[in-house]
């Protein structure tokens, strides 16, 4: 039998196998990220800042990494004072994979409905305290035997303002990794208050110098040219751009409307032909700036 090109014998529409939901959830949480610590820090902080944007708040989010003396371990936490979460939000949004309130937004980077579950890539369980409209609820999200699960631990009235605090237990051996990744991932974030007493290099007294096409942060740990998409750090893949490595510790600046898009796990950018041209054009502008200024 010879089938000519263009001849369709049968069409089968692809769909999700609901019987494999647990496998898919594991892939989208535990196995989606290659950098579990960096992704946990980035996603928690990004969600917090997005909540502040929605609430119109100019208050800083709080990023802390401290020792829990009662449990004799460390905890990484991100707290915001944005729109908050109530019980319906947890059931209808947080518990759903693929459910996102940001998909049609041009000011928020998330769109896959995966970021809130990112801590499961590092830990098998974590906690979050949600406050909204005078009620406070504490939940635990964890890997269950059959499916990932969210348990309500308590609920009570509160006078505190709306917001969410995500709390992740950290293995003692990973404490330096968290300190290093906090500097790497959040070096360009604005409106962040750092509470990291064990690392004197993570302070709130550092400078971010922003220019039209590039920016520099005193807290950045990348000595090579890199990229910031809406202030989210990404290493630059020189090999995909087919250029030599540029040892210059600044970030090329891009907004969410410039045509660059991250991969689903947001650990890197998609290097399409259009993206490569956009990055190359930006690099040309930055090069011209420095040659004009200093030559």
């Amino acid at each position: 039998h010879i089938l000519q090109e263009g001849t369709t014998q049968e069409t089968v529409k692809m769909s999700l196998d609901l019987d494999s939901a647990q496998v898919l959830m594991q892939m989208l949480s535990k196995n989606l990220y290659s950098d579990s610590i960096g992704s946990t820090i980035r996603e928690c902080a990004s969600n917090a800042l997005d909540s502040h944007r929605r609430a119109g708040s100019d208050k800083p989010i709080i990023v802390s990494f401290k020792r829990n003396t009662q449990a004799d371990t460390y905890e990484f936490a991100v707290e915001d004072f944005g729109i908050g979460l109530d019980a319906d939000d947890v059931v209808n949004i947080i518990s759903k994979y693929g459910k996102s309130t940001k998909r049609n937004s041009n000011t928020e980077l998330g769109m896959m409905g995966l970021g809130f579950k990112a801590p499961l890539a590092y830990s098998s369980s974590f906690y979050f305290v949600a406050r909204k409209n005078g009620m406070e609820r504490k939940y635990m999200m964890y890997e269950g035997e059959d499916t990932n699960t969210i348990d309500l631990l308590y609920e009570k009235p509160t006078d505190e303002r709306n917001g969410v605090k995500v709390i992740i237990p950290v293995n003692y051996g990973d404490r330096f990794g968290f300190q290093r990744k906090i500097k790497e991932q959040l070096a360009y974030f604005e409106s962040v208050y750092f509470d990291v007493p064990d690392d004197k290099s993570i302070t709130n007294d550092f400078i971010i110098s922003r220019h039209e096409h590039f920016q520099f942060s005193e807290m950045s740990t990348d000595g090579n040219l890199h990229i910031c998409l809406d202030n989210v750090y990404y290493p630059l893949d020189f090999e995909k751009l087919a250029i030599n490595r540029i040892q210059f510790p600044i970030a090329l600046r891009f907004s969410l409307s410039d045509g660059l898009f991250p991969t689903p796990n947001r650990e890197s950018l998609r290097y399409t032909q259009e993206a490569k041209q956009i990055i190359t054009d930006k690099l040309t502008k930055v090069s011209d700036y420095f040659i004009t200024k200093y030559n």
Side-chain angles (χ1 to χ4, degrees), residues 15 17 20 23 35 52 57 65 90 120 133 136 143 147 150 157 169 180 191 204 220 231 240 249-250 272 284 292:
S15 62
D17 178 17
S20 304
V23 175
D35 180 6
H52 275 215
S57 173
F65 183 69
V90 173
L120 290 178
N133 299 333
E136 176 180 294
E143 295 176 359
T147 183
I150 301 174
R180 184 177 67 255
S191 297
N204 296 290
S220 175
N231 295 330
K240 288 183 179 178
I250 67 169
T272 63
T284 300
T292 302

Side-chain angles (χ1 to χ4, degrees), residues 20-146:
S20 304
Q22 172 62 11
V23 175
L24 293 173
M25 283 191 287
Q26 289 294 328
M27 291 174 59
L28 293 174
S29 56
K30 182 66 71 176
N31 301 320
L32 182 64
Y33 304 100
S34 60
D35 180 6
S36 61
I37 295 177
S39 295
T40 294
I41 293 169
R42 179 188 62 253
E43 297 300 324
C44 290
S46 296
N47 284 338
L49 287 173
D50 284 344
S51 183
H52 275 215
R53 287 178 180 176
R54 290 192 165 200
S57 173
D58 58 357
K59 304 290 184 182
I61 67 170
I62 300 175
V63 173
S64 65
F65 183 69
K66 295 187 288 189
R67 189 164 191 166
N68 184 336
T69 54
Q70 293 180 339
D72 195 26
T73 185
Y74 280 82
E75 287 182 348
F76 172 77
V78 177
E79 184 172 13
D80 71 67
F81 309 96
I83 59 176
L85 296 170
D86 59 21
D88 288 340
D89 295 327
V90 173
V91 171
N92 298 321
I93 300 174
I94 301 302
S95 69
K96 309 292 186 184
Y97 279 80
K99 182 75 172 181
S100 176
T101 59
K102 307 175 185 179
R103 194 156 291 146
N104 298 319
S105 172
N106 58 4
T107 62
E108 299 168 290
L109 195 57
M111 63 180 67
M112 303 293 183
L114 303 176
F116 202 94
K117 294 86 170 172
L120 290 178
Y122 171 75
S123 176
S124 59
S125 65
F126 69 97
Y127 305 92
F128 62 98
V129 179
R131 301 180 303 274
K132 190 171 183 179
N133 299 333
M135 289 296 295
E136 176 180 294
R137 299 173 178 88
K138 185 173 184 179
Y139 296 89
M140 179 173 68
M141 184 183 295
Y142 60 96
E143 295 176 359
E145 187 172 329
D146 298 320

